[in-house]
Every structure is written in C-alpha cells, then in structure tokens.
Amino acid sequence: MNFFRADLHCHTTCSDGSTTPIDLIHLAAKSGLSGLSITDHDSIEAYKGALPVAAQLNIEMISGVEFSTVHQGVSIHLLGYAFPLENPIIHEFCKKHQQRRENRNRDILVRLAKHGMPIAEEDFIDPAHKEQTIGRPHIAQAMIKKGYVSSVKDAFRKYLGEGRSCYAPGESFSSEETIDLIHKAKGLVVIAHPHLVDHAKTLNELLEMNVDGIECFYARFSTDANRRWTKIAEKKGLIMTGGSDYHGNIKPNIPLGSSWVNEDIFRVLQKHYQQSSH
Ligand code: AMP
Ligand code: ZN
Ligand code: FE
Ligand code: FE
C-alpha cells in the first residue's frame, strides 16, 4: 500500500513546464502521489484542466501559484496556496504579471538581437495557447533551436541569468505587496526554495514579513539542508511545505514526487483551502 505523499511544487505547460496539466495528474497517479498542488509561475490556468482528472484519479488537490517578486533588488519566489481558485484578486495579479513578462521578454529579445542572436516572438509563443506564462526557459529553448546555445543551463549561464549580457529586469512586484495580495485573496504565503535566496539578510527580512510557511523539503536537499529549514520553521511557527519543483524536460533530472510533504502537513493546507473556498 502506498503511504500518503503530496508534491506541493510543480509546473505545467501553462508556465515553463513541459507536461500538460492533464498529463501531470496522470503522472502524479503513476508516481504514487495522493496529493498535489500545481504552482505555475504567475498562472493558475492549469487547474481548469487538472481538477476534473484529479477527481477521477483520486488525487487530492489544493490551489497553488508561484509568484516572482523582488525584495531590495533580490529575486524572490513566493508560493501562494489554498486560496479560492475563483478569487478575482489572484486572476488580476496573474494578468499584471503576464503584461510585465511580455514587456520584459521584448527587452530580452532586443538584447539578444544586439548580440547577434535574433529570435522572433513566434519562435517561442504558441498562438493556440494565449494565456501561457512565457519565461526565460522558453527563450532559452528557442536559442537552442537556433544553435546559439547547447542547453537551457548554458543559455542562463551565458546570456539570460541575472546580470548576464542579455538579461533584462523589467518591471517587478515587491515581496511585501505580493504577500499582502495573497492574504487578501485568502491564501497562505510560503517562501519558495529558501536556499536560492541570495543573502542571509534578505532571508531574515522575508522571515520578518507576514509569511505563513517556508519550503523545507525540496528536490535533492540533503538531510542537513532539510534540518536547517525545519529548524527555522519550528522557531518561527511556520508551516513546513515541500515539493519537487518539477518542470518536465526542462529540468529532466527532477522527477515529480522527488520531494513531498506528509499527510499531516497536506491536511493543514487543505483545511485552509476548504475554509477559504466557502
Ligand atoms: P523567468 O520566470 O522568466 O524570470 O525565468 C525564471 C525561471 O527560469 C525559473 O523559475 C526557473 O524555472 C528557470 N531557471 C532559472 N535559472 C535557471 C538556470 N540556471 N537553468 C535553468 N533554468 C533556470
Ligand atoms: Zn520555472
Ligand atoms: Fe521558483
Ligand atoms: Fe517553481
């Protein structure tokens, strides 16, 4: 018999994952997961397709999203969980992010052209999928197709990563305003992959903000790393979440379910979701 495992961090083709929402639910069932939250970048579009299939396959779901934010110039990803999916606040915020990305992606294309690597929007935008969150991984894949780079990693390391020659920051939303907004939408806020937060000072400032949880279990964390984050969570009374950050082919060595939370943690979030949705 399978024991209860829930992956609370994964991406679909609605953002920069390569698995469709429906295929992701099938994969979750095949991987022996009992619970799931899809956390696409700046989008909750995946739930439309995913929820009915999840109900059929007995995968329990709670709402989720991963917002890109900036705190004092440092890029921070915040996960929102357990908000009612029909809440207009999250929908509006996702739309604002789409506009931000459109402008930022155009800035990146201008820079790439200047560096002798022309790419057109048609090279990475699927006209049949207008609401897809387009990010740098899509641009990186177009660069691979054109032969400019050998891998997504290579594209980030040489050109698209923060501070690299073709990077463009674009507009940004602060961590604080994003936290307020998720709370107004009746959701919970979790600091995503805290090990990627560049400075200790930034992380401390985030922990002083009104966050509800911290992602303590993340694909390929060592036991020591898990302990570091669970200790912080215990001290601050934060919910300990976890997930794989599955992206499909885009990050091929990270399988769905490679990091997860147990039933107790899942039920805490699920209870909040049920209460917020009624
Ligand atoms: P964007 O959302 O457009 O700012 O792009 C950031 C996304 O690109 C992250 O959420 C990751 O999924 C991915 N990413 C960031 N850094 C790298 C990297 N070095 N290699 C591959 N993917 C990356
Ligand atoms: Zn991503
Ligand atoms: Fe992230
Ligand atoms: Fe993610």
Side-chain angles (χ1 to χ4, degrees):
M1 205 180 87
N2 281 330
F3 62 103
F4 191 106
R5 292 183 300 132
D7 190 333
L8 301 180
H9 190 158
C10 52
H11 297 269
T12 74
T13 46
C14 293
S15 66
D16 57 5
S18 66
T19 310
T20 66
I22 291 175
D23 288 348
L24 184 76
I25 302 300
H26 284 280
L27 181 62
K30 237 176 40 196
S31 312
L33 291 169
S34 307
L36 196 71
S37 182
I38 300 176
T39 52
D40 272 314
H41 298 285
D42 310 330
S43 167
I44 53 171
E45 202 209 336
Y47 283 88
K48 264 194 303 239
L51 285 176
V53 185
Q56 275 168 20
L57 299 183
N58 286 325
I59 303 285
E60 297 186 65
M61 293 202 75
I62 55 163
S63 59
V65 65
E66 181 174 20
F67 285 124
S68 299
T69 79
V70 172
H71 177 62
Q72 315 239 321
V74 181
S75 158
I76 306 289
H77 285 182
L78 292 175
L79 295 158
Y81 287 117
F83 49 84
L85 279 163
E86 65 284 359
N87 191 298
I89 297 174
I90 298 283
H91 284 266
E92 283 305 310
F93 198 44
C94 288
K95 262 196 215 152
K96 277 193 184 173
H97 270 283
Q98 302 307 331
Q99 191 59 55
R100 163 186 79 78
R101 282 172 175 276
E102 221 173 274
N103 298 336
R104 195 261 336 234
N105 292 344
R106 284 199 184 123
D107 291 347
I108 292 178
L109 294 192
V110 169
R111 285 169 203 233
L112 284 170
K114 274 192 194 146
H115 283 76
M117 294 176 282
I119 284 180
E121 284 183 353
E122 296 78 61
D123 294 332
F124 57 86
I125 293 178
D126 176 0
H129 194 176
K130 284 213 164 51
E131 284 175 41
Q132 183 184 27
T133 296
I134 303 287
R136 283 175 284 165
H138 297 99
I139 299 176
Q141 282 180 315
M143 292 172 76
I144 297 171
K145 270 201 200 134
K146 298 256 179 197
Y148 302 149
V149 289
S150 60
S151 66
V152 173
K153 250 204 165 106
D154 198 30
F156 270 87
R157 192 170 49 82
K158 288 185 178 149
Y159 305 111
L160 302 179
E162 260 167 72
R164 303 288 170 208
S165 57
C166 299
Y167 175 71
E171 191 195 347
S172 60
F173 297 105
S174 73
S175 305
E176 266 164 325
E177 69 183 305
T178 305
I179 292 169
D180 280 351
L181 195 133
I182 295 170
H183 283 152
K184 281 206 182 91
K186 298 196 266 179
L188 296 168
V189 181
V190 171
I191 302 170
H193 38 62
H195 65 300
L196 295 180
V197 177
D198 256 356
H199 308 283
K201 180 173 167 284
T202 310
L203 185 64
N204 284 333
E205 285 172 3
L206 279 176
L207 287 166
E208 290 305 312
M209 291 179 199
N210 196 10
V211 296
D212 306 288
I214 181 164
E215 195 168 47
C216 292
F217 315 107
Y218 191 76
R220 292 185 299 168
F221 266 5
S222 65
T223 314
D224 275 358
N226 286 337
R227 209 171 294 130
R228 176 177 173 202
W229 305 120
T230 54
K231 256 177 146 173
I232 290 179
E234 262 166 23
K235 196 167 135 208
K236 303 255 175 197
L238 296 172
I239 305 171
M240 302 175 191
T241 75
S244 60
D245 209 358
Y246 172 80
H247 279 75
N249 297 338
I250 291 166
K251 296 183 181 176
N253 44 3
I254 302 176
L256 186 69
S258 53
S259 195
W260 45 272
V261 297
N262 65 21
E263 182 162 12
D264 292 347
I265 293 173
F266 186 78
R267 296 287 173 229
V268 169
L269 294 169
Q270 189 184 47
K271 193 167 164 205
H272 187 98
Y273 182 42
Q274 285 163 348
Q275 284 170 350
S276 75
S277 302
H278 286 111

